[in-house]
Structures are given as structure tokens and as C-alpha cells.
Amino acid sequence: MKKIVLTGGGTAGHIYPALALVPYLKEYEIHYIGSGGMEKEILKEYKNIVFHEIPAVKLIRKLTFKNLLIPFKLIKSIVTAKKILKEIKPNIIFSKGGFVSVPVVISGHGLKIPIISHESDLSMGLANKIILKRCDIMCTTFLETSKISKKCKWTGQPIRKELLTKVSPIYRSQFQSQKPVLLVIGGSLGATFLNNLVFENLDELTKDFNVIHICGKNDKTDISHSGYLKLNYANDMPMIYSSSDIVLSRAGSGVINELLALGLPMLLIPLSKKCSRGDQIENANLFKKLSYAEVIEEENIDKNKLIHTLKKIYKNKKYYIENMKKADANHACERIIKIIDDYSKN
């Protein structure tokens, strides 16, 4: 049996797209190399995947003494990853990015193992810029990103099979009224700004919508309100998505491409440049340009604009859905698996 190593971590956006490939990897023994963070916790649910832990190395985007230690930590991670790869002897590595994948790719490149990587965002992050020099193919979610290098190939974003399966909208039964359902997603770790925005405007929001709010594991707010359901983390996203009419979300590539594949109209409030490299702003603006979503940046948000835009999206939801149907967003896994199979034969 052929062997494949999956790697990537730090956030759900780096983990779940890699795991979306698992149902298609029936001819492979599957290993996952990650850190002791979120990926280790998520991988406990996957009994058919062998998890291997390496030390995490991450650049902190501000002046700090900790960044001076990165070269030493990276060397340790590379040595650990190389030892694991020599034991596994994989036919191929699939990297979903994030800093935990860098030492795995550097080690795999040195061992001459074929490497397929994937970039979710419109612009390439630092980890994937490093990986691009060492991988054989860099798959991309966005067609525009595939023009960066001859190594880049457009495939789309891998979406978990279970999300695309039609299920019963059971979360609608949690509400007494028949109002449309607004789903709010702050991200796998939550988004304080987005959460506070909902808390502050809950009276107005629930006049027109029933609200399902995924706050993230770190939120400890105790709040109860008619027409409002608060969840810290959700493992049953297929049922939540099927129960929703429109979505208010950050603009991480993972979640917005899930919404695109499912045809769920969205209002995106991307993470500000003050605390990111601006990738979410780029993702959101492209989705607005393609008429999949509306966008309000953090600095420009207020209660009236928020409520008005959500009402506009719901009123015109057929328009957004029709545009999303043209995107061919449901077949990325098959495209990536073909590339993996082609390279693993060698």
C-alpha cells in the first residue's frame, strides 16, 4: 500500500481542507505530521490516520525576542520531521500550509519525496512562499493565485464530503418563530470583534432573523435571548449550514469557500490589517467583485450598516446563489487527488 503524509496546522483552515482529501485516499496508508495544537485534538477523531507530533515554529508579527529563537527551533523541527519521514517512507507529502508544514516540506524535499501543497488565500502567505521553492506543485483555491508561478495549478478549495451532503435542517426547530436563520461564524478560535458586534446588536438582529452564533472555544460570555442560539464550537456543521439562510462571517478562505460550495449568501467582515497581513480583505473583496458576498470592513461598521446589509442580502439571496452556482466549487478534492496519484506513482 502506498503511503501519504498530510501536514498543516494552527487553525481549522489549515487542517480541515487536508482532511477533506481523506475519503479519497483509500489506496494510501495515511499519516499526519502536526504540532500539539488544534490539529492534534482534531486528529483524535480520525482512527485511520497515524498522528506524529513535531515542535511548532511560528513567526510572531511584531518585534519580539522570541523571533530570534526561530532558527534554532526550526532546526529542531526539521530534524524531528526528517526522522519521522525516514521511518514512514511515504510516497508523497501533501502540505496544507501553516508554519508547522515548513519543516516537514524542507525535510521531505531533502529526502527527495514528491510534495504537493495548497494555498487557500488569494495572496500567498509566508509559509507557502517558503514551501513553493521546494514543492512540485502548489494547488490554489483562486485562479488568480495560480498565475504566480509555473508550479502553481488551480484546483479550488478542498471541501469535506459531509458538508456537501444534504441533511435535515434540525437547528431550525430550536426557534419558536419562522424567521429566516442568520448564521454567525467567528472562526475556529472565535473572533472577539465579530462576537461583540452580535452581542451589542442582538435586539435588532433578532427582529428580522433567528440567529445561530458560533462564538469559538475561548468565548465565556453567558447570554440568553429569544431567537438566539449560542454555540462555542460545532462538530455538526452540515446540519448548521442546512439550517441557515444567510451567513455573517470573517473572510478566512476555508469558511468562505465552504459557503460558496453550499451556495450560502454571506456578509463578510474581514480581519483588519492591524492584526493580519490583509489576506482576508483580499479574499472578501474578490468575493464581492464576483457577486458572491457583500463586505463591510471593521473600521466602517455600524449598527445601521450591519442591519441594512443583512436585510439586503436576504432580500436578494437568489441573485447571490445564482452567481455562486457558476463557480464550480465542489470538485477540488478530485482535482487534487489526481495530481497526488500522478506524482505518487514516481
Side-chain angles (χ1 to χ4, degrees):
M1 180 176 277
K2 292 186 287 186
K3 297 178 182 180
I4 184 169
V5 165
L6 308 177
T7 185
T11 66
H14 285 125
I15 303 164
Y16 281 121
L19 295 178
L21 301 176
V22 169
Y24 301 87
L25 294 169
K26 293 187 168 100
E27 297 178 7
Y28 294 81
E29 179 182 304
I30 308 171
H31 296 256
Y32 199 110
I33 300 180
S35 71
M38 183 181 286
E39 56 269 31
K40 185 175 183 178
E41 192 64 29
I42 291 173
L43 263 294
K44 288 178 181 177
E45 301 173 22
Y46 290 78
K47 305 303 180 188
N48 60 329
I49 302 176
V50 182
F51 182 77
H52 308 265
E53 186 175 337
I54 62 171
V57 181
K58 184 173 182 180
L59 175 70
I60 301 170
R61 295 179 181 274
K62 62 180 179 180
L63 288 174
T64 171
F65 176 74
K66 291 180 180 179
N67 282 339
L68 297 177
L69 301 175
I70 285 177
F72 305 101
K73 290 181 177 179
L74 183 59
I75 289 169
K76 183 179 179 182
S77 293
I78 291 170
V79 170
T80 307
K82 191 170 186 178
K83 182 181 177 183
I84 293 168
L85 290 173
K86 281 184 173 180
E87 290 173 356
I88 298 171
K89 295 183 174 63
N91 298 81
I92 195 159
I93 295 169
F94 177 79
S95 163
K96 190 55 203 73
F99 283 96
V100 72
S101 62
V102 172
V104 180
V105 169
I106 291 173
S107 303
H109 179 71
L111 294 169
K112 301 189 184 306
I113 301 167
I115 299 164
I116 309 301
S117 190
H118 186 277
E119 173 58 65
S120 288
D121 290 310
L122 185 59
S123 64
M124 203 166 287
L126 178 58
N128 268 348
K129 285 179 180 177
I130 296 169
I131 288 166
L132 180 62
K133 297 176 182 178
R134 295 166 175 86
C135 70
D136 294 273
I137 294 288
M138 176 74 73
C139 304
T140 69
T141 291
F142 298 106
L143 183 62
E144 290 84 346
T145 318
S146 68
K147 298 170 185 175
I148 291 174
S149 164
K150 290 181 180 178
K151 285 186 179 181
C152 293
K153 184 178 180 64
W154 174 79
T155 57
Q157 174 85 349
I159 306 292
R160 286 172 285 162
K161 234 178 185 180
E162 61 265 30
L163 294 181
L164 301 174
T165 305
K166 289 186 177 180
V167 294
S168 176
I170 62 169
Y171 276 84
R172 288 185 181 271
S173 63
Q174 301 272 350
F175 303 106
Q176 293 181 348
S177 73
Q178 299 300 311
K179 294 174 190 173
V181 175
L182 166 67
L183 171 62
V184 183
I185 306 175
S188 56
L189 296 176
T192 303
F193 178 88
L194 206 60
N195 290 345
N196 289 338
L197 183 69
V198 173
F199 297 150
E200 291 164 7
N201 294 284
L202 204 47
D203 288 338
E204 284 296 318
L205 288 168
T206 52
K207 283 180 183 177
D208 297 286
F209 301 97
N210 288 317
V211 180
I212 300 174
H213 184 186
I214 304 175
C215 298
K217 288 182 177 180
N218 297 331
D219 183 81
K220 306 300 180 187
T221 310
D222 185 14
I223 188 167
S224 179
H225 196 291
S226 177
Y228 175 74
L229 176 63
K230 180 178 181 289
L231 303 169
N232 281 85
Y233 193 75
N235 292 318
D236 49 358
M237 286 306 298
M239 292 179 182
I240 291 174
Y241 280 146
S242 70
S243 302
S244 305
D245 294 292
I246 64 171
V247 182
L248 169 63
S249 175
R250 285 301 200 184
S253 181
V255 68
I256 65 174
N257 278 284
E258 286 178 0
L259 299 175
L260 172 62
L262 293 165
L264 279 170
M266 58 197 105
L267 170 56
L268 303 177
I269 303 179
L271 197 63
S272 168
K273 272 192 175 181
K274 293 176 184 176
C275 47
S276 75
R277 63 183 176 86
D279 49 305
Q280 289 201 12
I281 295 172
E282 294 174 342
N283 295 343
N285 287 337
L286 179 63
F287 266 44
K288 179 176 173 61
K289 180 182 175 183
L290 295 170
S291 298
Y292 303 155
E294 295 297 330
V295 177
I296 307 175
E297 293 194 12
E298 279 189 19
E299 295 79 4
N300 301 324
I301 195 92
D302 60 48
K303 180 176 75 172
N304 292 334
K305 191 175 286 186
L306 172 68
I307 302 300
H308 171 77
T309 308
L310 288 170
K311 286 181 181 179
K312 172 189 170 183
I313 292 170
Y314 180 70
K315 181 181 178 182
N316 299 289
K317 66 175 187 174
K318 288 183 180 179
Y319 166 77
Y320 300 101
I321 292 169
E322 285 304 313
N323 288 317
M324 287 190 273
K325 282 180 181 177
K326 302 170 188 175
D328 190 21
N330 295 353
H331 303 290
C333 286
E334 291 91 333
R335 297 183 189 108
I336 293 170
I337 291 297
K338 185 179 185 309
I339 294 169
I340 288 172
D341 284 344
D342 289 345
Y343 274 83
S344 66
K345 287 174 186 175
N346 300 319

